[in-house]
Amino acid sequence: MAWRPGQRITPQRLLDNTPHTISYTAITANTSTATTTEAVAVTTPSITFRAGRAYRITFKGLAQSSVAADTVTVRVRRTSTSGDIYVDSFRLPIPANATNVPFYLSNICTNGTSSDITVALVGTYVRASGTGNVLLAATTTHVCYIEVEDIGEATDFVAARAIT
């Protein structure tokens, strides 16, 4: 961001010039198992997505199934398992029973509106194919988390997913 003549340098303007984390929510224990009903693993507190800003939303963890050759889908959604999808893994293949499959997914989303949007996000998981029980595995050393970073002006990311 360029500084305009006469523009006051404020702490917020300085912060807006560098990517910075605005939310980080982690779990440190395995989730319950799920099958074909999407379940919530992580819920963030309410996050304010400022008008005209772009955000990187990251979901990291370990997926697991009780049956080899199942696939798991993980997502970050708005508010609940039926909310808008902001990050989607499609299908993660599970090669063997009880094998942890790592995922690290991120997407850039923007609030291109003229108003701030305040909402909680949820990290979800569901068995996409197969017959097993799926879960997201986590420990204190291998946390599962959602991180949201403010990365700049929304106009710099014209094809990004809109936050609605």
Side-chain angles (χ1 to χ4, degrees):
M1 170 192 267
W3 299 102
R4 292 183 289 277
Q7 188 175 30
R8 268 184 54 203
I9 298 174
T10 65
Q12 187 62 55
R13 284 195 181 119
L14 288 171
L15 193 57
D16 284 349
N17 280 335
T18 45
H20 57 281
T21 299
I22 62 166
S23 178
Y24 175 86
T25 306
I27 60 170
T28 58
N30 291 356
T31 64
S32 301
T33 59
T35 55
T36 58
T37 300
E38 196 165 352
V40 173
V42 182
T43 303
T44 70
S46 290
I47 300 167
T48 299
F49 295 95
R50 293 175 37 225
R53 301 297 295 170
Y55 299 89
R56 178 179 295 111
I57 301 172
T58 300
F59 190 21
K60 182 251 181 202
L62 301 167
Q64 184 183 119
S65 178
S66 62
V67 176
D70 278 3
T71 62
V72 177
T73 298
V74 295
R75 299 180 174 114
V76 175
R77 291 180 173 268
R78 178 188 174 117
T79 309
S80 69
T81 57
S82 60
D84 291 343
I85 298 170
Y86 296 133
V87 179
D88 195 340
S89 72
F90 305 103
R91 292 176 182 227
L92 301 170
I94 308 295
N97 171 19
T99 299
N100 286 330
V101 174
F103 63 88
Y104 185 90
L105 309 163
S106 68
N107 196 18
I108 296 174
C109 301
T110 58
N111 179 358
T113 71
S114 59
S115 300
D116 292 351
I117 297 171
T118 301
V119 66
L121 301 179
V122 293
T124 68
Y125 60 105
V126 64
R127 186 186 72 216
S129 67
T131 59
N133 295 312
V134 299
L135 60 85
L136 296 188
T139 67
T140 55
T141 55
H142 296 92
V143 298
C144 176
Y145 68 81
I146 295 174
E147 179 182 27
V148 179
E149 299 169 274
D150 181 322
I151 60 171
E153 298 288 330
T155 54
D156 292 340
F157 302 91
V158 292
R161 169 73 167 91
I163 297 169
T164 56

